[in-house]
Amino acid sequence: MTTQIVGMPSLNRRSLLASASAALVAASGCSAVESSPQLAHWVTVYLGERDETHEVSVTVTDDSGETVFEKEYSLSDDDEADEDAPFPDATEPETVVVTVDGTRFERDWPGFEQPQLPCDGENRSGIEVWVEDDESGSPGIRIEADCQYVTMD
């Protein structure tokens, strides 16, 4: 005569349930970490003269000279802006170098001399770089500081 115990889950079933539960908890923890926003500084580049075309690069360095942001742009009437390109908030930007068609411009990262900086709450400092022609028709830049809420992807 064979005796069968009913109602007791098998060891394999328990192991499977425990593993599935652990995987579910781990996966939910990962997605929670990935979905939490990481605040960021930001750079936005605009083409001021829509009928112009310019090759532009923007590099931001910290006080040790280490590059914390670098990006190249081909600006034209079809692609006249690149907004809110982020870089980590943990960095302390100090210098902005903008090159427009081979002409180099160097500026200090806007700081406490700007009335709207430092930023309040979760807003972080960033810059708008406007590529414009000067009085002689040569490319020039204008940099404006601002505060807004931007996160890293």
Side-chain angles (χ1 to χ4, degrees):
M1 182 167 142
T2 314
T3 306
Q4 189 175 34
I5 302 174
V6 179
M8 294 285 294
S10 71
L11 184 57
N12 287 341
R13 187 172 156 193
R14 282 188 211 162
S15 296
L16 177 64
L17 287 173
S19 297
S21 296
L24 183 58
V25 168
S28 67
C30 287
S31 63
V33 169
E34 288 177 17
S35 65
S36 61
Q38 179 187 1
L39 296 174
H41 293 293
W42 49 273
V43 174
T44 294
V45 177
Y46 294 111
L47 179 61
E49 311 295 331
R50 296 282 304 266
D51 57 341
E52 298 281 329
T53 300
H54 294 288
E55 296 300 315
V56 178
S57 69
V58 177
T59 303
V60 178
T61 58
D62 63 14
D63 62 348
S64 69
E66 184 176 331
T67 299
V68 295
F69 175 85
E70 188 169 38
K71 190 166 180 181
E72 294 184 5
Y73 308 86
S74 291
L75 300 177
S76 66
D77 190 40
D78 294 331
D79 190 17
E80 79 281 357
D82 185 84
E83 297 181 320
D84 305 330
F87 63 97
D89 177 50
T91 61
E92 291 295 329
E94 184 164 304
T95 305
V96 179
V97 175
V98 179
T99 304
V100 180
D101 300 331
T103 303
R104 185 177 192 271
F105 302 90
E106 184 172 327
R107 305 287 191 273
D108 290 335
W109 180 267
F112 296 99
E113 70 278 2
Q114 300 287 332
Q116 71 270 30
L117 300 175
C119 301
D120 295 330
E122 292 189 336
N123 290 331
R124 294 297 178 260
S125 64
I127 57 172
E128 293 179 353
V129 177
W130 291 83
V131 178
E132 303 171 323
D133 291 343
D134 64 15
E135 300 81 36
S136 69
S138 299
I141 64 164
R142 176 173 42 104
I143 294 180
E144 295 182 10
D146 199 5
C147 295
Q148 65 181 357
Y149 181 84
V150 174
T151 59
M152 299 290 293
D153 291 331

